[in-house]
Structure formats: structure tokens, C-alpha cells
Amino acid sequence: FLNLGGIANLSAAADAGYIAFDVCPANRVLNMLANDAMKDYDDEGRMAASGNIDTTLLSELNALEYYRLDYPKSLANDFGTGIVYPMIRNAGIPIDNALRTYTEHIVIQIKNAITSLNPIKQKNQSSRMLVTGGGAFNTFLVERLKEQLRSLNFEVVIPEERIVKYKEALIMALMGVLRWREKTNVFSSVTGAERDSVGGALWMGQEE
């Protein structure tokens, strides 16, 4: 399962339980670059599609230390806003090239993350990946992702629009229900903690 939100994160079922971790900044950085062109966002990735990859910048982005760390791991928003975005702007390239380069960076890091989860996967073994989050509406990003993952025999699946839009709200509601029932909603296989836990606080209202 891939979430293309402000930060791209990946989750998968494994023998030891669920694995989930942040891959790289995604929409947060793409939107900041689009803002520089006086746009709220790059609609369907059209600006990125019109640009060219800056190979020097792409290499510098891919060399960031976070990508060499093993999971479990997570990113704060300021990794994208305070480190990645300034790197891109300091490269001094046109916005469409910046968007094209960063789109390619996202795709490469997702492919690398999937490969790290499937190191011995055979080419004739097919897999499916459900993609949600706002980035699922970025047509160019999804197309590039499909192309890159074809060599891994991965099928990229985009669900219906309402699932893409409301998945996160449904997940938060599920976590709340699990907390109410005092059932595990935080997995040590994801956080790296010593044990699973029940996260969240209940605030009881007062009778009038």
C-alpha cells in the first residue's frame, strides 16, 4: 500500500507483522514548487511532464542520508520544507525542470523502498500495490511509477475517487474505534518499539 501524501509512505504485510515507513517527501515539496509558479499545485503533473530531468540535482537528492537508513523510520515535514526544497531552489533551474526532477526522485525512492521489502522476489511473481493520497491524482507521477515498477512486475492500482479522498479519515476513525475497544492500534513492527500498544486518549463529556 502506497500513500502519496505530503510525505510518501509505504506499508506491507510481512511474516513478522505489518511494516510501514516514510519513503520521501512528496506532495509537500511538489506543491511548494508549484506555488513558486503561482499555482496551488501541478494539475495532473502537467508542468512536470513538460520539464527535463536535472541529473546533477537528482543525484544529490538520491544521496541524502535518510534513504540509506533501514526501517522502521519516519520523516518530519521539515525534511521536505527545510532540506529538500531549498536544495531544489538553490539548483537555480526552471520550475518545470524542478518538478520533473523531483517527480523522478519520488519514483526512484519508491522503487528502492519496494525493492528493500522484496529483495529476493522473482520476476515472474506479480504483485499489486494500492495507491492513494492526493498524489494518486497526479497523472504524470502515477505514469512514471507504473513504468518504473513494471520491471519488478508490480501492478499499480488506483482505486475509486472516494477511497482516495476519504481513506485517511476512515483510518483515523478505525484507530479511534480500536482505542475505544482497548485493542492494539500501534504496531511495534512499524514503530520499532519493544511491544505493540494502544495509542490515543479518551475524553469523556460531562452530563448536564
Side-chain angles (χ1 to χ4, degrees):
F1 301 94
L2 173 66
N3 174 59
L4 286 174
I7 293 173
N9 38 66
L10 193 68
S11 59
D15 293 339
Y18 287 100
I19 293 171
F21 58 92
D22 290 335
V23 177
C24 65
N27 295 339
R28 187 73 175 97
V29 172
L30 292 175
N31 289 348
M32 291 177 73
L33 292 170
N35 293 164
D36 290 338
M38 307 303 291
K39 296 180 181 294
D40 291 334
Y41 58 94
D42 183 10
D43 189 22
E44 296 187 355
R46 292 191 183 97
M47 291 178 64
S50 69
N52 297 309
I53 295 175
D54 186 293
T55 56
T56 299
L57 174 60
L58 182 61
S59 296
E60 291 174 353
L61 290 168
N62 288 332
L64 288 168
E65 183 181 2
Y66 177 80
Y67 304 128
R68 297 193 295 271
L69 301 177
D70 293 329
Y71 58 83
K73 59 181 180 177
S74 62
L75 285 170
N77 280 325
D78 59 8
F79 181 79
T81 60
I83 296 176
V84 172
Y85 174 74
M87 284 178 63
I88 299 171
R89 296 303 290 129
N90 290 340
I93 59 178
I95 296 300
D96 55 350
N97 290 355
L99 285 163
R100 177 68 181 90
T101 302
Y102 198 70
T103 297
E104 197 68 15
H105 171 69
I106 293 171
V107 171
I108 288 172
Q109 291 308 320
I110 291 171
K111 183 178 181 180
N112 289 345
I114 291 173
T115 302
S116 74
L117 292 174
N118 299 273
I120 57 174
K121 178 179 179 294
Q122 301 299 316
K123 288 186 177 181
N124 61 351
Q125 293 178 325
S126 61
S127 300
R128 303 175 78 227
M129 182 173 68
L130 187 73
V131 179
T132 55
F137 297 121
N138 186 324
T139 305
F140 182 65
L141 173 57
V142 172
E143 287 176 353
R144 289 296 303 133
L145 191 61
K146 288 180 178 179
E147 290 174 12
Q148 282 288 325
L149 297 187
R150 193 169 293 124
S151 63
L152 300 180
N153 208 10
F154 259 80
E155 178 188 359
V156 174
V157 179
I158 307 295
E160 59 183 290
E161 183 175 327
R162 65 176 181 171
I163 293 178
V164 175
K165 286 185 174 181
Y166 302 116
K167 174 212 65 179
E168 190 165 354
L170 290 169
I171 291 173
M172 294 302 105
L174 173 61
M175 290 184 70
V177 168
L178 292 172
R179 170 62 185 89
W180 182 267
R181 295 176 178 175
E182 298 184 354
K183 293 185 177 181
T184 297
N185 60 7
V186 181
F187 297 106
S188 58
S189 60
V190 173
T191 64
E194 293 181 355
R195 58 182 175 81
D196 295 342
S197 61
V198 179
L202 295 178
W203 300 91
M204 307 301 292
Q206 295 182 346
E207 293 185 5
E208 295 187 4

